[in-house]
Amino acid sequence: MEENSGYEQCAYLYDLFDRKENIEFFYHYAARAKEILDVGAGTGRIAIPLAERGVSIVCVEPSPAMRREFEKKLTRRSDLAGNIRLVAGDAASFEVDRAFPEAFLSGTFDHFLDDVERLSSLLNIRSHLISGGTLVFDVFLGLMKDSPLSPAGRAKVGNREYRRFVGSKLLPDDRRETVLVFEVYHGDELIERIEERSLVGITNRKDIHQVLTEAGFRVNREWSDYDFTPYQEGEPLLIVEAAKQSR
C-alpha cells in the first residue's frame, strides 16, 4: 500500500470518479466571456470541453501529477493548443501576465485550509480579473462529522476494475482529513491498492461572505446545484458568483 498526500498517486484515476455534471454550468459563464482563468484546473476535466467550444483558457494547477495527466490529454489534442495554456502554481501565488473577465474555482475552495489562505488566494485571483470581472466557485459545506471508509464508486476499463472508498475525520482548527482508497482488480485479483490523504478546510456561508468582502468581491448570486437552483440555507453545496469591486 502506498500512502502520501493529495492526488499524487491516484491522479490517473481522477476522471473515472469525478462525475459532477457541471460542464454546462461553467460553459454558461465561459460562453459570454470567451476567455477564462481556471484555478485548480486538475486534469482539465472542465477546461478541455470548454476549449472544444472555442473558449480560451489559462489553467493553473499546483499538483505535478494532475498537470501530467492534463498534459497527456493535450498531447492527443493538438487542435486545442491555441486555446489552452497550463501554468504551474497555487491559487495564492500564481502569476499570469494578464487579466481575465472571468475566473473559475471548481473543487478548489475546500482545499484552502483557513481564512488566511482563503484571503490570500482570493486577493491573487482578484488581481488577475478585469474591473467588474466575475469569480465563480463551488464549496462543499456538508459532511462536517467523522465518516468511516465506505464504498464510493466502481469503474471498469478493459479487463480492469477500479474501486474507490472514501472516509473522513474531523481535526482541530476547522480541518477535515479525507482518506481515499483505490483498489485495482484484474479479474478477481487485487493488483494495486493506493491510499491518499488530503486536508480540507471547514468553513460556512457567513465566513465565505466575509472573506469575499475583505478580498474586494461582491456576491451576485448563489446556487445549490449546477442546474442553477437558488441556494437555500442548509444545502450542502454552495456555488457562488461574485464580482470584483473597485477599491
Side-chain angles (χ1 to χ4, degrees), residues 71-82:
E71 289 163 353
K72 287 178 186 177
K73 295 179 183 180
L74 293 180
T75 60
R76 299 190 295 267
R77 295 299 307 271
S78 59
D79 57 311
L80 300 179

Side-chain angles (χ1 to χ4, degrees), residues 19 21 32 48 55 62 80 93 115 123 127-128 133 140 149 163 167 170 174 179 183 204-205 211 213 227-228:
R19 299 170 181 169
E21 296 182 358
R32 70 187 186 186
I48 289 175
V55 179
L80 300 179
S93 62
D115 281 339
L123 286 170
S127 72
H128 288 86
F140 193 67
L149 196 66
R163 302 177 187 178
L170 290 182
D174 291 327
V179 181
E183 295 181 345
N204 58 65
R205 186 185 181 201
V211 75
T213 299
D227 61 2
F228 298 97

